Amino acid sequence: EMVASMRFRKVEIMQTYLPSDGDKEVYVRQRGIDGEFSFTKTVYYDTRDPASSIELESRIEGDEYAKSLIAADSRMAQIRKNRYCYVDQDRHYLKIDFYYGTPGYALLEAEVRNRNDKVNLPDWAKVVREVTNDPRFSNYEISRTGGKLPTRV
């Protein structure tokens, strides 16, 4: 069966927001794959148009990451999640994020070529709700509201 042959890659993610002003979000992220860690810093500019927002991501060293954690925005919760990535049989790239503290729920992101593409989900996945345009499911809002997925949808 197709699902049994899916090859998932697990990525452990910790995302921490830094203080920033107005129309931008700044965060650092630790990504772990098989015990190997990498670090990035991202500045996201909200242009009010999701289709044209700007995201600048750069790799940073572990010591810069550690210093950033000390300067974290105390009003924001650290996001901890396990991401499972795979490509379905129609070559769509899918990311499924399981957030710590929110068992039984996950956030699925699919990169599709056009809006009407059908995405082949694993058998165990049940879609509760489409949240593409729901601001409560952005990482920023998830962090602002405690680091867990909203489950009362």
Side-chain angles (χ1 to χ4, degrees):
E1 190 191 340
M2 200 47 123
V3 175
S5 65
M6 284 181 173
R7 295 255 189 273
F8 289 93
R9 188 182 70 185
K10 179 183 175 188
V11 184
E12 297 170 60
I13 295 172
M14 276 193 347
Q15 182 166 310
T16 307
Y17 282 86
L18 306 181
S20 62
D21 52 14
D23 61 350
K24 74 178 180 203
E25 299 167 14
V26 181
Y27 59 86
V28 290
R29 189 178 254 195
Q30 171 184 292
R31 298 165 61 93
I33 302 173
D34 297 330
E36 296 284 315
F37 293 93
S38 63
F39 309 96
T40 55
K41 182 174 186 174
T42 301
V43 181
Y44 173 85
Y45 297 91
D46 185 0
T47 59
R48 302 283 173 249
D49 175 9
S52 66
S53 57
I54 300 165
E55 200 170 273
L56 302 174
E57 184 178 282
S58 53
R59 281 187 82 96
I60 58 174
E61 296 300 321
D63 57 345
E64 186 179 343
Y65 174 76
K67 283 181 194 151
S68 297
L69 293 183
I70 296 165
D73 187 335
S74 60
R75 297 164 305 165
M76 305 288 279
Q78 187 174 60
I79 291 177
R80 295 185 63 209
K81 59 188 177 181
N82 286 325
R83 170 173 288 170
Y84 294 85
C85 309
Y86 74 97
V87 177
D88 75 4
Q89 60 259 44
D90 295 319
R91 311 295 302 152
H92 299 124
Y93 184 65
L94 282 81
K95 299 183 280 193
I96 304 174
D97 289 350
F98 291 89
Y99 289 73
Y100 282 73
T102 320
Y105 289 88
L107 201 55
L108 171 93
E109 182 180 334
E111 294 180 11
V112 295
R113 287 172 288 285
N114 73 62
R115 205 174 280 282
N116 302 319
D117 281 6
K118 184 174 180 342
V119 173
N120 298 288
L121 300 178
D123 285 346
W124 48 262
K126 174 178 166 273
V127 175
V128 176
R129 179 155 171 250
E130 166 70 58
V131 297
T132 298
N133 298 311
D134 188 334
R136 295 177 304 159
F137 289 85
S138 71
N139 273 321
Y140 184 84
E141 274 304 302
I142 290 167
S143 173
R144 198 183 65 75
T145 56
K148 298 172 177 63
L149 281 178
T151 55
R152 283 180 176 69
V153 298

